[in-house]
């Protein structure tokens, strides 16, 4: 099913062909009727009606923006004042946000209508949404398959027309991988280009909020409304690099050497390379010797940062508390009972790699490796518009297929993790479907702050796929 884009809907609203209420009602009705478990919560009718009234007023007063009246979904880790935000964890089941994330503030100012919060892997750890404490989300293309993760709820909601666009967050692929699995566009913006204020911290040197949309143009519109420097996030900057297209694309040599890449994905990718060549692109295989090592670095650095970020969820400062006899037990009982298994696994891993005696052997090595990979990317991106890969090694896998095998789950991040490690932007664009009807995606990784290049390349792929 094809759903309209932001641009198409905006035209209808400005021409007066459709009222904001009608538009929002249509999406909310579909969201309520859906059995995909994409939403953790659809906001109350009163809440949505108030936002619709604001949007209508903006049209009346001539202050409407292109996002005014658009039904948008929030991932369940982005703070919206007065609303529950749980990270899809039992730990924060009753936590109500006391302030708006900067991206939420910007969306409100643009007159968008926030209709609900979407299901996700607990605290954004996972690649399938199966780590949510509230059940898996189903892939709209085949409900026996996962939607990807951790922003699986957002991806399914966009793909099934339950919202026009959704926020995701990407620490190692959580926007791009579910976007690829659900056949939509997902952008990981350059680290620092979007404020993280009000995003539940996971891996603070890796986390970025980004758009999940039907089209590349929509991703561009949506991203442009919430990017920018913010006094509440010291790592945020307002920067935009415009580089004329060289029509030169790089592919990492030996990308498929390790195996594990689905033959249909490989074929789809190779076909895309051929199509790009017919558009006048040069596509070179280049040496990126440490590309595949990104995953190893990620699964040291990311758990290390997680173990420290989630330390605040201790039953005392935030979240729910287990009934315990002593203060010592409060910590263990609360964290043992209210964190899921993957969250506990990452905290233990992270604590271990940061502990005295292992810090140099693991954490510091991963930090060193990270700067080597970043250097390799920077050198390559001086000569090329982007690095091209499939977004994922396989199409959407079955629900339950990988839950008991964390390493095989981690391998689904093979192509997405490098951009987070190097803090480069990357976009996933739908590139076709498997014989069984499951979507494929291709990914471009671009130079830092050169999102515009990714949008140009993405639009070309939309034309030729
Ligand atoms: N799948 C990756 C992980 O489990 C990525 C998560 C993310 O990007 N939030 O860590």
């Amino acid at each position: 099913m094809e759903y309209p884009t932001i641009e198409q809907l905006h035209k209808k609203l400005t021409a007066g062909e459709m009222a904001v209420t009608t538009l929002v009602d249509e999406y909310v009705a579909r969201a309520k009727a859906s059995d995909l478990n994409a939403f953790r919560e659809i906001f109350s009718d009163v809440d949505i009606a108030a936002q619709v009234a604001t949007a209508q007023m903006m049209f009346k007063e001539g202050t409407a923006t292109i996002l005014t009246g658009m039904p948008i979904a929030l991932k369940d880790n982005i703070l919206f004042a007065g609303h529950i935000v749980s990270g899809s964890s039992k730990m924060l089941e009753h936590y109500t946000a006391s302030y708006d994330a900067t991206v939420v503030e910007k969306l409100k100012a643009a007159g968008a209508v926030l209709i609900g919060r979407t299901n996700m892997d607990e605290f954004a750890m996972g690649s399938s949404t199966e780590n949510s404490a509230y059940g898996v989300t189903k892939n709209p293309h085949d409900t026996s398959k996962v939607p990807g993760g951790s922003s699986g709820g957002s991806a399914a909601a966009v793909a099934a027309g339950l919202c026009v666009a959704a926020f995701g967050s990407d620490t190692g692929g959580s926007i791009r991988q579910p976007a690829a699995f659900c056949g939509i566009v997902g952008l990981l913006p350059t680290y620092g280009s979007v404020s993280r204020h009000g995003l539940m911290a996971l891996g603070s040197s890796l986390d970025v909020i980004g758009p999940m949309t039907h089209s590349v143009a929509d991703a561009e519109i949506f991203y442009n409304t919430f990017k920018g420097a913010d006094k509440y996030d010291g790592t945020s900057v307002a920067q935009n690099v415009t580089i004329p297209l060289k029509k030169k694309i790089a592919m990492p040599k030996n990308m498929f050497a390790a195996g594990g890449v689905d033959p249909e994905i490989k074929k789809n990718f190779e076909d895309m390379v051929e199509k790009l060549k017919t558009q006048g692109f040069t596509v070179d295989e280049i040496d990126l010797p440490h590309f595949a090592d990104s995953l190893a670095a990620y699964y040291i650095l990311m758990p290390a940062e997680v173990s420290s970020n989630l330390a605040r969820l201790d039953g005392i400062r935030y979240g729910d508390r287990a009934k315990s006899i002593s203060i010592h037990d409060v910590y263990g009982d609360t964290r043992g009972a209210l964190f899921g298994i993957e969250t506990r696994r990452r905290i233990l891993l992270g604590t271990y790699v940061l502990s005295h005696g292992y810090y140099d052997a693991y954490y510091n090595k991963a930090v060193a490796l990270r700067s080597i990979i970043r250097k390799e990317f920077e050198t390559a991106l001086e000569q090329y518009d982007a690095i091209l890969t499939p977004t994922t090694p396989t199409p959407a896998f079955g629900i339950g297929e990988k839950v008991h095998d964390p390493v095989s789950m981690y391998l689904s991040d093979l192509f997405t993790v490098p951009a987070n490690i190097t803090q480069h932007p990357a976009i996933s664009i739908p590139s076709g479907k498997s014989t069984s009807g499951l979507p494929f995606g291709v990914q471009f990784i671009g130079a830092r702050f050169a999102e515009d290049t990714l949008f140009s390349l993405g639009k070309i792929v939309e034309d030729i796929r």
Side-chain angles (χ1 to χ4, degrees):
M1 178 86 187
E2 285 271 314
Y3 293 97
T5 64
I6 294 174
E7 270 175 325
Q8 289 165 343
L9 291 170
H10 179 66
K11 269 197 198 121
K12 283 195 176 174
L13 292 177
T14 35
E17 283 168 30
M18 192 189 237
V20 176
T21 351
T22 319
L23 168 65
V24 173
D25 282 355
E26 189 188 300
Y27 279 84
V28 171
R30 263 202 303 268
K32 285 185 177 165
S34 161
D35 54 7
L36 296 171
N37 194 29
F39 280 92
R40 284 280 303 111
E41 180 188 358
I42 297 166
F43 300 139
S44 73
D45 293 346
V46 177
D47 190 341
I48 293 174
Q51 297 183 63
V52 167
T54 307
Q56 269 163 344
M57 188 59 83
M58 288 173 75
F59 273 106
K60 218 172 125 197
E61 289 175 349
T63 55
T65 72
I66 188 154
L67 279 191
T68 304
M70 297 296 152
I72 307 275
L74 286 169
K75 187 173 174 178
D76 191 21
N77 60 352
I78 297 175
L79 270 52
F80 183 16
H83 297 75
I84 291 181
V85 185
S86 77
S88 296
S89 174
K90 285 280 172 217
M91 184 66 91
L92 293 178
E93 190 166 42
H94 309 291
Y95 171 72
T96 300
S98 55
Y99 64 93
D100 281 331
T102 299
V103 296
V104 167
E105 218 170 66
K106 290 190 176 184
L107 266 257
K108 277 183 172 174
V113 180
L114 301 168
I115 62 164
R117 58 187 164 104
T118 56
N119 196 24
M120 56 184 270
D121 284 300
E122 184 177 23
F123 295 117
M125 282 172 273
S127 307
S128 65
T129 315
E130 288 163 297
N131 295 334
S132 165
Y134 305 93
V136 68
T137 296
K138 295 180 184 121
N139 190 313
H141 295 271
D142 175 347
T143 52
S144 72
K145 307 286 185 201
V146 302
S150 64
S151 316
S154 287
V158 173
L162 316 183
C163 58
V164 174
F167 278 113
S169 66
D170 194 315
T171 304
S174 280
I175 288 177
R176 293 159 288 153
Q177 188 254 20
F181 278 13
C182 292
I184 63 164
V185 173
L187 171 75
L188 162 76
T190 308
Y191 177 84
S193 64
V194 179
S195 170
R196 287 178 292 118
H197 177 63
L199 169 69
M200 283 181 190
L202 184 64
S204 302
S205 75
L206 305 153
D207 299 340
V208 193
I209 297 174
M212 305 179 78
T213 56
H214 289 296
S215 70
V216 174
D218 277 7
E220 185 173 6
I221 291 167
F222 192 19
Y223 167 67
N224 283 331
T225 59
F226 62 77
K227 69 176 183 188
D230 178 18
K231 64 177 179 200
Y232 295 118
D233 175 1
T235 62
S236 66
V237 280
Q239 210 170 316
N240 187 19
V241 181
T242 312
I243 314 167
L245 221 52
K246 301 180 191 74
K247 290 211 149 186
K248 284 183 73 184
I249 303 289
M251 308 189 283
K253 203 178 269 171
N254 303 327
M255 187 170 37
F256 301 123
V261 176
D262 179 277
E264 275 196 274
I265 292 257
K266 197 164 168 255
K267 168 88 173 50
N268 175 266
F269 178 78
E270 287 164 354
D271 288 349
M272 182 52 70
V273 169
E274 289 313 310
K275 286 180 190 165
L276 283 168
K277 286 182 183 164
T278 63
Q279 300 297 307
F281 279 89
T282 313
V283 185
D284 294 337
E285 269 200 316
I286 64 158
D287 258 326
L288 287 169
H290 295 91
F291 182 85
D293 297 332
S294 303
L295 202 60
Y298 176 82
Y299 278 99
I300 302 281
L301 297 170
M302 188 270 185
E305 295 187 20
V306 163
S307 73
S308 114
N309 275 326
L310 296 192
R312 75 194 75 170
L313 301 169
D314 56 4
I316 312 274
R317 281 169 282 200
Y318 287 96
D320 290 352
R321 177 184 305 166
K323 288 194 177 39
S324 309
I325 302 168
S326 71
I327 179 74
H328 182 260
D329 291 340
V330 167
Y331 295 119
D333 292 351
T334 303
R335 290 164 70 84
L338 301 180
F339 278 148
I341 183 154
E342 184 61 26
T343 301
R344 281 178 281 149
R345 181 183 292 126
R346 303 266 180 124
I347 292 172
L348 289 175
L349 259 173
T351 308
Y352 182 80
V353 300
L354 289 176
S355 60
H356 184 70
Y358 293 104
Y359 189 91
D360 281 332
Y362 295 107
Y363 183 74
N364 276 348
K365 282 227 173 68
V367 170
L369 180 56
R370 183 178 196 174
S371 49
I372 293 171
I373 302 168
R374 182 159 165 161
K375 193 87 214 91
E376 289 176 3
F377 273 46
E378 275 165 2
T379 312
L381 290 164
E382 278 167 18
Q383 289 180 54
Y384 293 93
D385 297 320
I387 299 166
L388 178 64
T389 71
T391 308
T392 57
T394 67
F397 45 85
I399 291 174
E401 199 180 312
K402 295 191 182 197
V403 266
H404 301 299
D405 185 357
V407 173
S408 98
M409 190 74 92
Y410 298 168
L411 281 171
S412 45
D413 305 328
L414 186 64
F415 298 125
T416 49
V417 151
N420 300 82
I421 285 289
T422 62
Q423 302 185 324
H424 283 79
I427 194 166
S428 175
I429 308 120
S431 59
K433 281 188 177 177
S434 71
T435 40
S436 56
L438 292 172
F440 294 136
V442 291
Q443 169 184 245
F444 289 104
I445 304 170
R448 286 174 50 79
F449 300 102
E451 276 77 9
D452 287 348
T453 303
L454 298 184
F455 296 137
S456 306
L457 293 170
K459 287 172 191 169
I460 293 170
V461 168
E462 283 181 329
D463 286 342
I464 60 175
R465 69 187 167 204

